[in-house]
Amino acid sequence: MGWFDGKAGLVTGAAGGIGRASAVAYAAEGGSVIVADLESSRAKGEETVAMIHAAGGNAAFIPVDVSDDAQVEALVDATVREFGRLDFALNNAGIVEMGFTADISEQAWDRLFEVNIKGVWLCLKHELRYMRAHGGGSIVNTASESGLVGTPLASPYVSAKHAVVGLTKTAAGEYANMGIRINAIAPGSVWTPLMASAPAEAQEMLMAPQPMHRFGTPEEIANAVIWLSSHKASFITGITLPIDGGATASAQSFDPNLSPTA
Ligand code: NAD
């Protein structure tokens, strides 16, 4: 028996990294999964679908820009049309913007907030519309260790991820009596295509505060996601679970390279 036998759900940002690993993990536990990502990431999204099919699972790709209300509404409706139900969701799509606080452009700030917090809220809004009318469900939002502590050079990202933590707490309280659990995960530095494309110094800077002194793997994050989504976590709602090799449990050391010089 799989944890998600007979159940169905969606994962945003599932064309790669944490989203892909989580989609694969839900499907390995019997869940039918909509792999949702930008139209421009369709080829990678279809790769995730093919991985799930190759392992005997059930999945389909649906394009979405999570910052667009109509597209998110259509995603939830299409998921229900495809599988007849919506039991779980991982609202995971996200982008990064690097730079010191005073140097971020207004346009970059706005786009990051549109994707990383408005996108999570829009997903919640439409998932809740279905779940509250159909007996409940379980939702996980991808925050970050940057939703719990500050991170140099990432103020819009840190601000939006802190907002994901607050949104998760508030929505969890509002819908707990409807059989809907809403939690968040706070991954530390994880080896994803995004991380692999960063300069070596940036990789070292991001890994250094992690006492385990290694990157997490997308599969380690996915293991926590599916557990938090499952009936095994039935009395847990509103939490943000760090999965970070001990990073947020330890004071981060000061690095002069992480301050502006003038
Ligand atoms: P990734 O870049 O591999 O995955 C992000 C996915 O989101 C991509 O496939 C991208 O196409 C998609 N996406 C971006 N904008 C979108 C939009 N508007 N609509 C729909 N899809 C969109 O990165 P990842 O590392 O797997 O990150 C996944 C999530 O985990 C993000 O929310 C990220 O902030 C978070 N996170 C990552 C790390 C890490 O170290 N990699 C750490 C903490 C949190």
Side-chain angles (χ1 to χ4, degrees), residues 13 15-18 37-38 41 64-66 92-95 111 115 142-144 157 161 187-190 192 194-195:
I18 292 168
D37 210 298
L38 293 168
S41 298
V64 71
D65 180 336
V66 296
N92 168 79
I95 57 174
R111 183 60 189 155
V115 176
T142 301
S144 168
Y157 184 83
K161 292 297 189 182
S189 293
V190 181
T192 62
L194 189 75
M195 189 66 75

mmCIF file of all heavy atoms in Angstrom, residues 13 15-18 37-38 41 64-66 92-95 111 115 142-144 157 161 187-190 192 194-195, ligand 1:
data_model
loop_
_atom_site.group_PDB
_atom_site.id
_atom_site.type_symbol
_atom_site.label_atom_id
_atom_site.label_comp_id
_atom_site.label_asym_id
_atom_site.label_seq_id
_atom_site.Cartn_x
_atom_site.Cartn_y
_atom_site.Cartn_z
ATOM 1 N N GLY A 13 6.358 23.996 -10.291
ATOM 2 C CA GLY A 13 7.818 24.028 -10.391
ATOM 3 C C GLY A 13 8.390 22.624 -10.448
ATOM 4 O O GLY A 13 9.469 22.358 -9.922
ATOM 5 N N ALA A 15 9.364 20.883 -13.083
ATOM 6 C CA ALA A 15 10.206 20.554 -14.234
ATOM 7 C C ALA A 15 11.624 20.177 -13.809
ATOM 8 O O ALA A 15 12.402 19.678 -14.625
ATOM 9 C CB ALA A 15 10.238 21.729 -15.211
ATOM 10 N N GLY A 16 11.975 20.425 -12.556
ATOM 11 C CA GLY A 16 13.336 20.096 -12.115
ATOM 12 C C GLY A 16 13.458 20.203 -10.610
ATOM 13 O O GLY A 16 12.477 20.499 -9.918
ATOM 14 N N GLY A 17 14.655 19.943 -10.123
ATOM 15 C CA GLY A 17 15.000 20.192 -8.723
ATOM 16 C C GLY A 17 14.065 19.541 -7.714
ATOM 17 O O GLY A 17 13.676 18.375 -7.838
ATOM 18 N N ILE A 18 13.701 20.335 -6.701
ATOM 19 C CA ILE A 18 12.888 19.852 -5.581
ATOM 20 C C ILE A 18 11.495 19.443 -6.054
ATOM 21 O O ILE A 18 10.933 18.432 -5.608
ATOM 22 C CB ILE A 18 12.809 20.956 -4.504
ATOM 23 C CG1 ILE A 18 14.188 21.150 -3.853
ATOM 24 C CG2 ILE A 18 11.741 20.642 -3.467
ATOM 25 C CD1 ILE A 18 14.314 22.405 -2.993
ATOM 26 N N ASP A 37 4.436 23.521 -14.552
ATOM 27 C CA ASP A 37 5.588 24.435 -14.663
ATOM 28 C C ASP A 37 5.314 25.373 -15.822
ATOM 29 O O ASP A 37 4.307 25.231 -16.532
ATOM 30 C CB ASP A 37 6.897 23.650 -14.873
ATOM 31 C CG ASP A 37 8.116 24.368 -14.294
ATOM 32 O OD1 ASP A 37 8.415 25.487 -14.760
ATOM 33 O OD2 ASP A 37 8.762 23.817 -13.386
ATOM 34 N N LEU A 38 6.196 26.334 -16.025
ATOM 35 C CA LEU A 38 6.047 27.289 -17.123
ATOM 36 C C LEU A 38 6.012 26.574 -18.473
ATOM 37 O O LEU A 38 6.693 25.551 -18.661
ATOM 38 C CB LEU A 38 7.223 28.270 -17.121
ATOM 39 C CG LEU A 38 7.298 29.231 -15.929
ATOM 40 C CD1 LEU A 38 8.657 29.921 -15.913
ATOM 41 C CD2 LEU A 38 6.172 30.255 -15.996
ATOM 42 N N SER A 41 9.218 25.674 -19.815
ATOM 43 C CA SER A 41 9.904 24.523 -19.198
ATOM 44 C C SER A 41 9.213 23.207 -19.557
ATOM 45 O O SER A 41 9.437 22.185 -18.888
ATOM 46 C CB SER A 41 9.932 24.680 -17.678
ATOM 47 O OG SER A 41 10.646 25.818 -17.301
ATOM 48 N N VAL A 64 1.742 26.282 -16.486
ATOM 49 C CA VAL A 64 1.149 27.333 -15.644
ATOM 50 C C VAL A 64 2.208 28.374 -15.319
ATOM 51 O O VAL A 64 3.378 28.054 -15.152
ATOM 52 C CB VAL A 64 0.579 26.748 -14.325
ATOM 53 C CG1 VAL A 64 1.698 26.307 -13.377
ATOM 54 C CG2 VAL A 64 -0.312 27.756 -13.598
ATOM 55 N N ASP A 65 1.770 29.625 -15.262
ATOM 56 C CA ASP A 65 2.552 30.670 -14.617
ATOM 57 C C ASP A 65 1.825 30.957 -13.310
ATOM 58 O O ASP A 65 0.705 31.471 -13.318
ATOM 59 C CB ASP A 65 2.615 31.926 -15.495
ATOM 60 C CG ASP A 65 3.437 33.040 -14.841
ATOM 61 O OD1 ASP A 65 3.574 33.047 -13.597
ATOM 62 O OD2 ASP A 65 3.926 33.913 -15.576
ATOM 63 N N VAL A 66 2.449 30.603 -12.188
ATOM 64 C CA VAL A 66 1.740 30.682 -10.906
ATOM 65 C C VAL A 66 1.401 32.108 -10.487
ATOM 66 O O VAL A 66 0.621 32.308 -9.551
ATOM 67 C CB VAL A 66 2.516 29.983 -9.762
ATOM 68 C CG1 VAL A 66 2.653 28.490 -10.012
ATOM 69 C CG2 VAL A 66 3.875 30.635 -9.527
ATOM 70 N N ASN A 92 5.440 25.040 -5.050
ATOM 71 C CA ASN A 92 6.901 24.998 -4.957
ATOM 72 C C ASN A 92 7.618 25.930 -5.934
ATOM 73 O O ASN A 92 8.788 26.251 -5.737
ATOM 74 C CB ASN A 92 7.310 23.523 -5.210
ATOM 75 C CG ASN A 92 8.770 23.333 -5.433
ATOM 76 O OD1 ASN A 92 9.543 23.324 -4.481
ATOM 77 N ND2 ASN A 92 9.178 23.174 -6.694
ATOM 78 N N ALA A 93 6.929 26.390 -6.979
ATOM 79 C CA ALA A 93 7.597 27.221 -7.990
ATOM 80 C C ALA A 93 8.214 28.446 -7.324
ATOM 81 O O ALA A 93 7.595 29.077 -6.465
ATOM 82 C CB ALA A 93 6.607 27.650 -9.066
ATOM 83 N N GLY A 94 9.431 28.776 -7.719
ATOM 84 C CA GLY A 94 10.081 29.941 -7.128
ATOM 85 C C GLY A 94 11.244 30.407 -7.977
ATOM 86 O O GLY A 94 11.784 29.658 -8.788
ATOM 87 N N ILE A 95 11.616 31.671 -7.786
ATOM 88 C CA ILE A 95 12.763 32.251 -8.484
ATOM 89 C C ILE A 95 13.672 32.940 -7.460
ATOM 90 O O ILE A 95 13.266 33.179 -6.317
ATOM 91 C CB ILE A 95 12.321 33.248 -9.579
ATOM 92 C CG1 ILE A 95 11.452 34.370 -8.980
ATOM 93 C CG2 ILE A 95 11.571 32.532 -10.695
ATOM 94 C CD1 ILE A 95 11.095 35.467 -9.993
ATOM 95 N N ARG A 111 8.710 41.257 -9.506
ATOM 96 C CA ARG A 111 8.539 39.951 -10.153
ATOM 97 C C ARG A 111 8.762 38.827 -9.141
ATOM 98 O O ARG A 111 8.036 37.839 -9.118
ATOM 99 C CB ARG A 111 9.510 39.801 -11.338
ATOM 100 C CG ARG A 111 9.336 38.490 -12.106
ATOM 101 C CD ARG A 111 7.932 38.342 -12.687
ATOM 102 N NE ARG A 111 7.677 37.017 -13.248
ATOM 103 C CZ ARG A 111 6.472 36.482 -13.376
ATOM 104 N NH1 ARG A 111 5.385 37.142 -12.993
ATOM 105 N NH2 ARG A 111 6.322 35.282 -13.890
ATOM 106 N N VAL A 115 5.907 35.906 -8.105
ATOM 107 C CA VAL A 115 6.060 34.449 -8.225
ATOM 108 C C VAL A 115 6.110 33.794 -6.841
ATOM 109 O O VAL A 115 5.368 32.848 -6.555
ATOM 110 C CB VAL A 115 7.333 34.089 -9.032
ATOM 111 C CG1 VAL A 115 7.536 32.574 -9.065
ATOM 112 C CG2 VAL A 115 7.247 34.662 -10.439
ATOM 113 N N THR A 142 6.507 25.557 -0.439
ATOM 114 C CA THR A 142 7.965 25.585 -0.333
ATOM 115 C C THR A 142 8.413 26.981 0.095
ATOM 116 O O THR A 142 8.330 27.938 -0.676
ATOM 117 C CB THR A 142 8.641 25.202 -1.661
ATOM 118 O OG1 THR A 142 8.213 23.888 -2.029
ATOM 119 C CG2 THR A 142 10.153 25.204 -1.510
ATOM 120 N N ALA A 143 8.840 27.085 1.357
ATOM 121 C CA ALA A 143 9.486 28.322 1.828
ATOM 122 C C ALA A 143 10.987 28.101 1.635
ATOM 123 O O ALA A 143 11.439 27.712 0.560
ATOM 124 C CB ALA A 143 9.111 28.605 3.275
ATOM 125 N N SER A 144 11.777 28.295 2.663
ATOM 126 C CA SER A 144 13.231 28.171 2.563
ATOM 127 C C SER A 144 13.800 28.441 3.952
ATOM 128 O O SER A 144 13.127 29.040 4.800
ATOM 129 C CB SER A 144 13.754 29.239 1.594
ATOM 130 O OG SER A 144 15.163 29.343 1.658
ATOM 131 N N TYR A 157 14.086 37.804 -1.856
ATOM 132 C CA TYR A 157 13.841 36.363 -1.681
ATOM 133 C C TYR A 157 13.525 36.049 -0.217
ATOM 134 O O TYR A 157 12.558 35.362 0.100
ATOM 135 C CB TYR A 157 15.071 35.598 -2.164
ATOM 136 C CG TYR A 157 14.949 34.086 -2.137
ATOM 137 C CD1 TYR A 157 14.329 33.408 -3.176
ATOM 138 C CD2 TYR A 157 15.482 33.337 -1.088
ATOM 139 C CE1 TYR A 157 14.226 32.021 -3.169
ATOM 140 C CE2 TYR A 157 15.381 31.955 -1.065
ATOM 141 C CZ TYR A 157 14.759 31.301 -2.111
ATOM 142 O OH TYR A 157 14.664 29.922 -2.088
ATOM 143 N N LYS A 161 9.965 34.733 1.210
ATOM 144 C CA LYS A 161 9.908 33.417 1.871
ATOM 145 C C LYS A 161 9.412 33.546 3.319
ATOM 146 O O LYS A 161 8.710 32.665 3.806
ATOM 147 C CB LYS A 161 11.275 32.723 1.803
ATOM 148 C CG LYS A 161 11.694 32.291 0.389
ATOM 149 C CD LYS A 161 10.750 31.251 -0.211
ATOM 150 C CE LYS A 161 11.295 30.656 -1.513
ATOM 151 N NZ LYS A 161 10.364 29.673 -2.126
ATOM 152 N N PRO A 187 13.811 24.321 3.073
ATOM 153 C CA PRO A 187 15.068 23.659 2.697
ATOM 154 C C PRO A 187 16.258 24.582 2.908
ATOM 155 O O PRO A 187 16.162 25.804 2.736
ATOM 156 C CB PRO A 187 14.893 23.375 1.195
ATOM 157 C CG PRO A 187 13.431 23.525 0.904
ATOM 158 C CD PRO A 187 12.927 24.541 1.911
ATOM 159 N N GLY A 188 17.391 23.989 3.276
ATOM 160 C CA GLY A 188 18.662 24.704 3.243
ATOM 161 C C GLY A 188 19.186 24.681 1.820
ATOM 162 O O GLY A 188 18.408 24.639 0.861
ATOM 163 N N SER A 189 20.494 24.682 1.649
ATOM 164 C CA SER A 189 21.059 24.684 0.293
ATOM 165 C C SER A 189 21.023 23.278 -0.289
ATOM 166 O O SER A 189 21.578 22.345 0.294
ATOM 167 C CB SER A 189 22.496 25.204 0.345
ATOM 168 O OG SER A 189 22.478 26.569 0.706
ATOM 169 N N VAL A 190 20.354 23.182 -1.416
ATOM 170 C CA VAL A 190 20.079 21.882 -2.025
ATOM 171 C C VAL A 190 20.706 21.849 -3.411
ATOM 172 O O VAL A 190 20.651 22.851 -4.143
ATOM 173 C CB VAL A 190 18.551 21.658 -2.129
ATOM 174 C CG1 VAL A 190 18.253 20.293 -2.740
ATOM 175 C CG2 VAL A 190 17.895 21.805 -0.756
ATOM 176 N N THR A 192 20.461 21.482 -6.783
ATOM 177 C CA THR A 192 19.499 21.447 -7.882
ATOM 178 C C THR A 192 20.185 22.073 -9.098
ATOM 179 O O THR A 192 21.256 22.685 -8.970
ATOM 180 C CB THR A 192 18.238 22.263 -7.526
ATOM 181 O OG1 THR A 192 18.633 23.618 -7.335
ATOM 182 C CG2 THR A 192 17.566 21.752 -6.260
ATOM 183 N N LEU A 194 19.565 24.755 -10.462
ATOM 184 C CA LEU A 194 19.749 26.162 -10.132
ATOM 185 C C LEU A 194 21.072 26.377 -9.390
ATOM 186 O O LEU A 194 21.881 27.245 -9.728
ATOM 187 C CB LEU A 194 18.581 26.598 -9.243
ATOM 188 C CG LEU A 194 18.435 28.064 -8.927
ATOM 189 C CD1 LEU A 194 17.900 28.786 -10.165
ATOM 190 C CD2 LEU A 194 17.461 28.254 -7.767
ATOM 191 N N MET A 195 21.311 25.528 -8.374
ATOM 192 C CA MET A 195 22.535 25.632 -7.570
ATOM 193 C C MET A 195 23.761 25.271 -8.413
ATOM 194 O O MET A 195 24.813 25.924 -8.320
ATOM 195 C CB MET A 195 22.424 24.689 -6.366
ATOM 196 C CG MET A 195 23.509 24.833 -5.348
ATOM 197 S SD MET A 195 23.486 26.427 -4.493
ATOM 198 C CE MET A 195 22.104 26.199 -3.379
HETATM 199 P P1 NAD B 1 14.529 25.077 -9.807
HETATM 200 O O1 NAD B 1 14.871 26.342 -10.511
HETATM 201 O O2 NAD B 1 15.141 23.782 -10.253
HETATM 202 O O3 NAD B 1 12.922 24.888 -9.777
HETATM 203 C C1 NAD B 1 12.020 25.946 -9.780
HETATM 204 C C2 NAD B 1 10.986 25.654 -10.849
HETATM 205 O O4 NAD B 1 9.982 26.690 -10.789
HETATM 206 C C3 NAD B 1 11.569 25.694 -12.272
HETATM 207 O O5 NAD B 1 11.252 24.502 -12.950
HETATM 208 C C4 NAD B 1 10.916 26.917 -12.904
HETATM 209 O O6 NAD B 1 10.661 26.771 -14.294
HETATM 210 C C5 NAD B 1 9.626 27.000 -12.099
HETATM 211 N N1 NAD B 1 9.033 28.340 -12.135
HETATM 212 C C6 NAD B 1 9.666 29.541 -12.013
HETATM 213 N N2 NAD B 1 8.782 30.541 -12.129
HETATM 214 C C7 NAD B 1 7.564 29.962 -12.325
HETATM 215 C C8 NAD B 1 6.254 30.476 -12.511
HETATM 216 N N3 NAD B 1 6.017 31.802 -12.538
HETATM 217 N N4 NAD B 1 5.234 29.609 -12.682
HETATM 218 C C9 NAD B 1 5.469 28.268 -12.671
HETATM 219 N N5 NAD B 1 6.678 27.729 -12.506
HETATM 220 C C10 NAD B 1 7.713 28.569 -12.330
HETATM 221 O O7 NAD B 1 14.872 25.343 -8.299
HETATM 222 P P2 NAD B 1 14.723 24.468 -6.972
HETATM 223 O O8 NAD B 1 15.986 24.687 -6.272
HETATM 224 O O9 NAD B 1 14.219 23.085 -7.202
HETATM 225 O O10 NAD B 1 13.603 25.342 -6.218
HETATM 226 C C11 NAD B 1 12.306 24.908 -5.946
HETATM 227 C C12 NAD B 1 11.779 25.687 -4.762
HETATM 228 O O11 NAD B 1 12.605 25.423 -3.646
HETATM 229 C C13 NAD B 1 11.780 27.213 -4.949
HETATM 230 O O12 NAD B 1 10.624 27.770 -4.354
HETATM 231 C C14 NAD B 1 13.028 27.640 -4.199
HETATM 232 O O13 NAD B 1 12.934 28.976 -3.743
HETATM 233 C C15 NAD B 1 13.012 26.642 -3.066
HETATM 234 N N6 NAD B 1 14.291 26.437 -2.382
HETATM 235 C C16 NAD B 1 15.375 25.971 -3.052
HETATM 236 C C17 NAD B 1 16.563 25.789 -2.345
HETATM 237 C C18 NAD B 1 17.827 25.276 -3.016
HETATM 238 O O14 NAD B 1 18.878 25.291 -2.385
HETATM 239 N N7 NAD B 1 17.782 24.778 -4.239
HETATM 240 C C19 NAD B 1 16.627 26.091 -0.989
HETATM 241 C C20 NAD B 1 15.486 26.551 -0.341
HETATM 242 C C21 NAD B 1 14.320 26.729 -1.048
#
